[in-house]
């Protein structure tokens, strides 16, 4: 899950207490790419919406419906192939690079 505040709502907490086999796992801030729902919508955007021309809302809905029909005709589960240590190493490397390359700000006159 993302870190949106609704997950801490009393109704959610009550439901979780009644359903102890469910555990919440949160994605880190700025890591929506880890969220499978976000990844699915990215695929929808890339494969059915981006660069499309939709002259009306019904045209857009039709494109989304066509994507859903094609996607659901041969569904495949998403399987992670990268390890957590790989992501950790990349994060450390990215932070190191950011620290070495300060952002240059131009003053506007």
């Amino acid at each position: 899950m993302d870190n949106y505040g609704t997950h801490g709502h009393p109704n959610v907490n009550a439901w979780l207490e009644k359903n102890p086999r469910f555990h919440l796992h949160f994605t880190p801030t700025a890591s929506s790419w880890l969220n499978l729902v976000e990844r699915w919508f990215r695929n929808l955007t890339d494969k059915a919406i981006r660069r499309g021309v939709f002259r009306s809302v019904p045209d857009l809905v039709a494109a989304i419906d066509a994507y859903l029909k094609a996607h659901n005709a041969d569904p495949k589960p998403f399987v992670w192939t990268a390890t957590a240590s790989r992501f950790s190493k990349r994060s450390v490397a990215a932070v190191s690079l950011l620290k070495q390359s300060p952002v240059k700000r131009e003053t506007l006159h």
Side-chain angles (χ1 to χ4, degrees):
M1 297 184 165
D2 62 18
N3 291 312
Y4 193 65
T6 56
H7 307 313
H9 189 278
N11 290 347
V12 174
N13 290 330
W15 188 89
L16 288 168
E17 285 182 26
K18 291 177 186 174
N19 298 276
R21 71 186 187 106
F22 291 93
H23 301 273
L24 300 185
H25 297 276
F26 295 96
T27 56
T29 302
S31 297
S32 61
W33 56 272
L34 284 170
N35 184 327
L36 294 181
V37 173
E38 297 279 351
R39 290 182 60 84
W40 188 88
F41 277 105
R42 183 204 62 199
N43 289 345
L44 168 67
T45 300
D46 289 347
K47 296 176 181 177
I49 298 173
R50 186 170 287 131
R51 294 186 202 90
V53 176
F54 310 103
R55 301 197 186 284
S56 66
V57 171
D59 287 349
L60 174 61
V61 170
I64 293 170
D65 284 343
Y67 175 80
L68 291 172
K69 186 175 181 180
H71 178 78
N72 290 335
D74 187 26
K76 305 245 183 325
F78 184 83
V79 178
W80 283 107
T81 57
T83 63
S85 64
R86 177 176 161 213
F87 288 116
S88 179
K89 289 176 187 174
R90 286 187 172 189
S91 295
V92 169
V95 169
S96 177
L97 284 174
L98 288 172
K99 287 181 179 179
Q100 293 173 16
S101 304
V103 176
K104 296 179 182 175
R105 294 185 177 96
E106 294 181 14
T107 305
L108 298 175
H109 299 281

